[in-house]
Amino acid sequence: MTYQPAFPGLFTPAQGATPVQPDLPLSHPATEKQISFARILAARTKTPLPKGIEADRTALSQWIDQHNTSAPQSRFSNYPSSKQVAFAERIARLKRREVPQECFRDRRLMSRWIDSNKPR
């Protein structure tokens, strides 16, 4: 004998299944950090924020991406981060092989080496 729980009022034979919350908005409001960064960015670039953009997280993120200037490039900006190097060296110890020297001079090469040698 099996036990079948009854949930009164959840389903009626004539109605069928209904959505739990049909009136939810499709977009989420922007976070406080996102809004404050967008305001700082708007002041720095002297560009006003579009009206009502705080109500849509995705739209605000796209606005930030369009108006954010990249970090200044230095001669070390192409080098791998210390975390990348430490992770690569840990993988190399596990696999008992060397990290190629050119990987220490290019972050993209280091990333590719990590991806191809990551333990699965």
Side-chain angles (χ1 to χ4, degrees):
M1 182 192 260
T2 61
Y3 174 73
Q4 303 242 340
F7 299 103
L10 187 60
F11 300 110
T12 60
Q15 176 184 0
T18 58
V20 178
Q21 296 173 336
D23 297 331
L24 285 178
L26 295 176
S27 63
H28 298 287
T31 63
E32 287 299 318
K33 282 187 175 184
Q34 211 177 14
I35 293 170
S36 65
F37 181 68
R39 287 182 180 149
I40 290 169
L41 192 60
R44 190 182 322 149
T45 59
K46 297 179 177 129
T47 307
L49 280 173
K51 218 174 202 178
I53 199 163
E54 293 93 2
D56 187 10
R57 182 181 300 177
T58 308
L60 186 58
S61 180
Q62 290 172 352
W63 186 90
I64 289 172
D65 288 343
Q66 288 173 356
H67 293 86
N68 193 9
T69 57
S70 62
Q73 296 291 322
S74 71
R75 65 181 219 199
F76 299 109
S77 60
N78 197 33
Y79 282 51
S81 68
S82 59
K83 289 186 177 185
Q84 258 186 325
V85 171
F87 187 51
E89 288 174 344
R90 201 171 334 136
I91 291 171
R93 275 193 306 273
L94 286 172
K95 295 230 173 184
R96 295 182 182 168
R97 63 174 66 159
E98 294 284 323
V99 179
Q101 287 300 313
E102 60 268 10
C103 291
F104 290 102
R105 292 185 292 274
D106 187 3
R107 74 174 42 234
R108 278 176 259 123
L109 281 176
M110 182 66 83
S111 180
R112 288 184 195 143
W113 188 89
I114 288 172
D115 288 342
S116 64
N117 289 288
K118 220 183 314 187
R120 309 235 183 253

